[in-house]
Amino acid sequence: MIELVSKNDKAMDSNTFSRNNRIAKALLILVLVSFSVLTGLAVYHYDFLGIFSQAFNNYASMQIFFDLLIALILVLVWMWHDAKKTNRSFWPWALVTLIIGSFGPLLYLLLRKRI
């Protein structure tokens, strides 16, 4: 059985996607701004390299640091596949991720054509 999709159904799907895309981008901006404030406070109080020394103060903070490292490696693998699929350059995003962490994937998603 073949179902016909009307132009109204296609328009509704397009409008739903557009609204969902705007919501996703707004959430990404909120996370990026909030995380930027937290990062700024951390750098202000501990300096950039001081953040890393704090990560090795005890086993609990080391566990969080290595958990973040593993998660970012998995995100880099996803970004590599996604960049190939969407014909984007991977290396600038990988470099940003390696230097300043989660800002790389957040910006990658924010500037992505489709979320």
Side-chain angles (χ1 to χ4, degrees):
M1 182 175 187
I2 298 175
E3 274 188 49
L4 297 176
V5 179
S6 72
K7 289 181 182 179
N8 288 340
D9 290 340
K10 288 181 181 179
M12 285 183 4
D13 288 343
S14 177
N15 289 339
T16 301
F17 171 76
S18 179
R19 187 184 68 221
N20 289 343
N21 195 29
R22 285 193 309 270
I23 291 170
K25 287 200 180 224
L27 287 173
L28 280 170
I29 290 169
L30 178 65
V31 169
L32 188 60
V33 168
S34 301
F35 187 60
S36 296
V37 170
L38 179 62
T39 301
L41 287 169
V43 169
Y44 176 76
H45 285 284
Y46 298 102
D47 297 323
F48 184 74
L49 294 178
I51 295 171
F52 293 100
S53 68
Q54 293 295 316
F56 294 99
N57 274 348
N58 56 55
Y59 291 119
S61 58
M62 285 174 56
Q63 190 279 332
I64 292 169
F65 176 81
F66 283 107
D67 185 51
L68 174 63
L69 183 65
I70 292 166
L72 283 176
I73 289 169
L74 293 173
V75 168
L76 280 170
V77 170
W78 170 82
M79 280 190 345
W80 180 66
H81 287 287
D82 187 71
K84 279 179 32 179
K85 186 171 70 175
T86 57
N87 201 25
R88 292 176 74 184
S89 179
F90 165 74
W91 292 109
W93 302 106
L95 190 60
V96 169
T97 301
L98 292 172
I99 294 171
I100 56 176
S102 296
F103 286 102
L106 287 169
L107 290 169
Y108 180 87
L109 287 171
L110 185 63
L111 299 174
R112 191 169 181 244
K113 296 282 188 235
R114 295 182 70 178
I115 295 178

